[in-house]
Amino acid sequence: MIPVCALGEIHPGEAVRLDGEPPISVFNANGELYAIDDTCTHQDASLADGWLEGCLIECPLHASCFDLRTGEPTGPPAKVGVRTHEVVVQDGHVYVVVAPVPAVT
Amino acid sequence: MRTITVVGASIAGLSAARALRAQEFAGRIIVIGDETHEPYDRPPLSKGFLDGSASLDDITLSTPDDKLLDIDWRLGSKAAALDTSARAVVLETGERVVTDGVVLATGARAREMPGPAGVHTLRTLNDAIALKEALKQGGSLVVIGAGFIGAEVASTARQLGLDVTVVEALPTPMAGPLGTQMGQVCADLHRRNGVRLITGVPVAALLGDDRVRAVLLADGREIPADAVVVGIGAIPNVEWLRGSGLAIEGGVVTDARCVTTVPNVVAVGDCASAFNEHAGCVLRLEHWTSAVQQPKIAAAGLLGRTSVHAARFSVPYFWSDQYGSHLQFAGHRRDGDVAEIVEGSPDGPFAAVYRRDSRPVAVLAVDQPRVFGRWRRELASEGVLS
Ligand SMILES: Cc1cc2nc3c(=O)[nH]c(=O)nc-3n(C[C@H](O)[C@H](O)[C@H](O)COP(=O)(O)OP(=O)(O)OC[C@H]3O[C@@H](n4cnc5c(N)ncnc54)[C@H](O)[C@@H]3O)c2cc1C
Ligand code: FES
């Protein structure tokens, strides 16, 4: 489990990015927290810089939208999903349980 | 509506087919496209595909999910006419595809400048394959036109080690979309990256017998060239619609919902001159994002539904990658609008906002996606301009 920040530090509609390898971002979508890999699968944009609408995060560069619940893109140009990670809130702190890196096929 | 025929099998056409299914159209979808390739993405043709970092597979648009769309693909077929009274798309072969609804998505083609071998344009995958081969030979490249495609080709060729000169007839590149002040910033990008930029001089002729050897400028200068790329704009593919009764002004004229002047015919993407609510006028946009967004609105229109498209769909948006920088522009600039840098400085990452009487109307950013996004959002909430 990686610590992220205090619960109150992620405001609704915003994101906190963890600069790990790879970077992961935690989004607050109307009170629900979601964690996904931060780097868009199309090019190199940071999804934390994107436009959050409901459960969809729109990439700031070419506007592919990713569903925060599944990590799947809903439209082009991205064709591959991002990993989703489990978010745990304990004693007012937010943590992320990093999902395993999928095997390259 | 039982059958809908989409003409044009590129990003707008594929997006239309996807949108029709997403909006629960269960009838037959036929997609007619004159290229033989599966739909592919054009923006990488001047960027990653040209420099070799993106493969054909990477730029293919279809995903495994598209198999479920159940589309009747007619690739390698060219539509020659639209018979609106008999509700049919007539193919070049004479075959008539009878249909209840039509989505026009025939895009645009590169404007050409006649010349000997070695003179390229860049619009299609075949063009890109040919140009990639030419750039492999190295040497000197002259790019005619400092618009977005010209600038990107120059950037890629420079990165590949070619000696690059860009020739632009206007005094400032991209002054149309960006204005002279910001156009100048783009001009500096070329110079800072070792590309020669000659502005304010038209090309008089392309010299060479079997192969191009130089570009002759109107002031008598001769620029030696092993290859030439002509990037002087695009022409909408709408000639085939002559006589169909559709209003055509540049592209096929539509309202803000992509509906044309003929019932059950919608037009999307580069071939459409659509009323734009943000700009308050008809615009034929050659932006990838419009070609993805308009089909969602058009599909709803064709199926008789009201579209729930987000307000930001009406704010034009495009990006360009040059010399390792991401350029982004949203909104619609007119002469008289004043650009002001709101973040950074023009020799590094920056964002500039264009205002008309203090009201923001457009935003340009270089390597500032976050600031850009904030302003793009702001523009979307500003509503209709006049
Ligand atoms: C090299 C390049 C780089 C670009 N980079 C960017 C960028 O960085 N950012 C950006 O926003 N935009 C960019 N664009 C623009 C973007 O690609 C276009 O806006 C987009 O492709 C428009 O999609 P479309 O489907 O409307 O038209 P098109 O992609 O032009 O597709 C139209 C299709 O219809 C076919 N067709 C035409 N006539 C007929 C007919 N009679 N019958 C059957 N088929 C027909 C054509 O052959 C073509 O396959 C770039 C374009 C190019 C060429
Ligand atoms: S980098 Fe995200 S869509 Fe292109």
Side-chain angles (χ1 to χ4, degrees):
Chain A
M1 244 175 20
I2 322 180
V4 182
C5 61
L7 185 53
E9 283 173 46
I10 315 182
H11 303 287
E14 291 186 1
V16 167
R17 178 171 50 216
L18 293 170
D19 292 323
E21 191 45 57
I24 290 171
S25 282
V26 183
F27 294 84
N28 181 335
N30 305 319
E32 286 288 328
L33 297 182
Y34 299 94
I36 59 170
D37 277 353
D38 180 64
T39 309
C40 180
T41 58
H42 175 236
Q43 278 177 13
D44 52 1
S46 160
L47 293 174
D49 288 345
W51 184 327
L52 185 59
E53 215 170 64
C55 272
L56 295 179
I57 179 72
E58 187 192 89
C59 174
L61 283 189
H62 314 121
S64 266
C65 285
F66 293 87
D67 190 321
L68 293 175
R69 296 162 297 191
T70 61
E72 288 305 311
T74 64
K79 290 186 277 186
V80 177
V82 288
R83 286 186 307 164
T84 57
H85 310 281
E86 192 188 337
V87 180
V88 176
V89 179
Q90 243 170 36
D91 304 326
H93 259 82
V94 180
Y95 300 85
V96 166
V97 183
V98 179
V101 178
V104 179
T105 49
Chain B
M1 189 140 321
R2 279 162 50 198
T3 301
I4 294 177
T5 302
V6 179
V7 190
S10 179
I11 184 70
L14 177 62
S15 298
R18 286 173 175 166
L20 286 166
R21 288 295 186 232
Q23 296 178 32
E24 288 162 353
F25 173 66
R28 184 162 175 226
I29 299 179
I30 302 166
V31 180
I32 297 167
D34 63 359
E35 292 185 84
T36 48
H37 305 285
E38 299 262 311
Y40 58 87
D41 211 17
R42 284 179 214 281
L45 298 183
S46 48
K47 312 176 182 79
F49 185 77
L50 198 57
D51 74 22
S53 60
S55 66
L56 181 52
D57 204 38
D58 292 330
I59 69 166
T60 298
L61 286 170
S62 302
T63 65
D65 283 354
D66 287 337
K67 298 261 183 307
L68 308 173
L69 297 177
D70 190 20
I71 294 171
D72 183 351
W73 291 100
R74 303 286 191 88
L75 297 181
S77 313
K78 188 168 187 147
L82 180 67
D83 182 345
T84 42
S85 51
R87 293 190 166 203
V89 175
V90 185
L91 303 185
E92 215 174 30
T93 54
E95 187 192 338
R96 301 174 69 84
V97 178
V98 177
T99 188
D100 303 308
V102 177
V103 180
L104 301 171
T106 46
R109 61 182 182 278
R111 175 166 299 164
E112 315 229 345
M113 191 182 269
V119 177
H120 299 257
T121 52
L122 181 55
R123 180 79 199 180
T124 66
L125 179 58
N126 291 348
D127 293 342
I129 291 170
L131 180 58
K132 194 172 167 180
E133 205 43 49
L135 297 185
K136 262 194 204 144
Q137 314 302 316
S140 55
L141 175 75
V142 176
V143 177
I144 300 175
F148 289 98
I149 290 180
E152 291 183 352
V153 170
S155 155
T156 303
R158 186 71 203 110
Q159 179 200 328
L160 293 172
L162 280 85
D163 178 69
V164 184
T165 305
V166 177
V167 182
E168 165 63 54
L170 295 174
T172 314
M174 299 191 236
L178 303 183
T180 46
Q181 185 192 351
M182 290 301 141
Q184 196 53 52
V185 172
C186 292
D188 292 343
L189 268 180
H190 291 296
R191 298 198 172 109
R192 258 192 284 149
N193 288 280
V195 166
R196 222 168 299 113
L197 175 65
I198 301 173
T199 55
V201 193
V203 167
L206 300 171
L207 307 178
D209 300 325
D210 301 340
R211 274 199 69 81
V212 71
R213 67 174 169 79
V215 173
L216 176 67
L217 303 184
D219 62 8
R221 266 184 286 178
E222 254 184 48
I223 323 282
D226 296 307
V228 170
V229 172
V230 177
I232 51 171
I235 304 168
N237 293 318
V238 293
E239 294 84 352
W240 67 284
L241 295 166
R242 232 176 266 139
S244 64
L246 285 161
I248 294 186
E249 266 168 48
V252 179
V253 177
T254 78
D255 64 12
R257 295 169 56 236
C258 307
V259 173
T260 69
T261 46
V262 170
N264 298 326
V265 179
V266 294
V268 291
D270 283 15
C271 75
S273 290
F275 182 80
N276 182 280
E277 284 175 334
H278 172 80
C281 59
V282 169
L283 297 178
R284 191 178 69 79
L285 298 171
E286 293 179 353
H287 302 350
W288 189 93
T289 308
S290 312
V292 172
Q293 292 175 335
Q294 287 175 340
K296 296 182 185 170
I297 305 169
L302 210 47
L303 300 175
R305 307 216 169 100
T306 35
S307 163
V308 290
H309 71 273
R312 67 172 186 279
F313 275 24
S314 71
V315 179
Y317 167 53
F318 68 84
W319 75 87
S320 173
D321 296 343
Q322 298 170 26
Y323 305 107
S325 285
H326 294 299
L327 266 74
Q328 298 178 282
F329 182 91
H332 183 62
R333 188 206 72 90
R334 270 200 237 146
D335 285 343
D337 296 347
V338 179
E340 180 207 349
I341 306 267
V342 293
E343 186 88 31
S345 77
D347 51 5
F350 77 94
V353 170
Y354 296 75
R355 294 181 193 273
R356 191 173 305 156
D357 310 323
S358 86
R359 192 173 177 191
V361 292
V363 54
L364 168 71
V366 176
D367 294 326
Q368 284 278 5
R370 192 180 194 121
V371 178
F372 177 82
R374 218 165 50 220
W375 280 99
R376 188 176 162 211
R377 223 174 295 202
E378 170 101 14
L379 291 175
S381 63
E382 281 280 317
V384 182
L385 299 171
S386 54

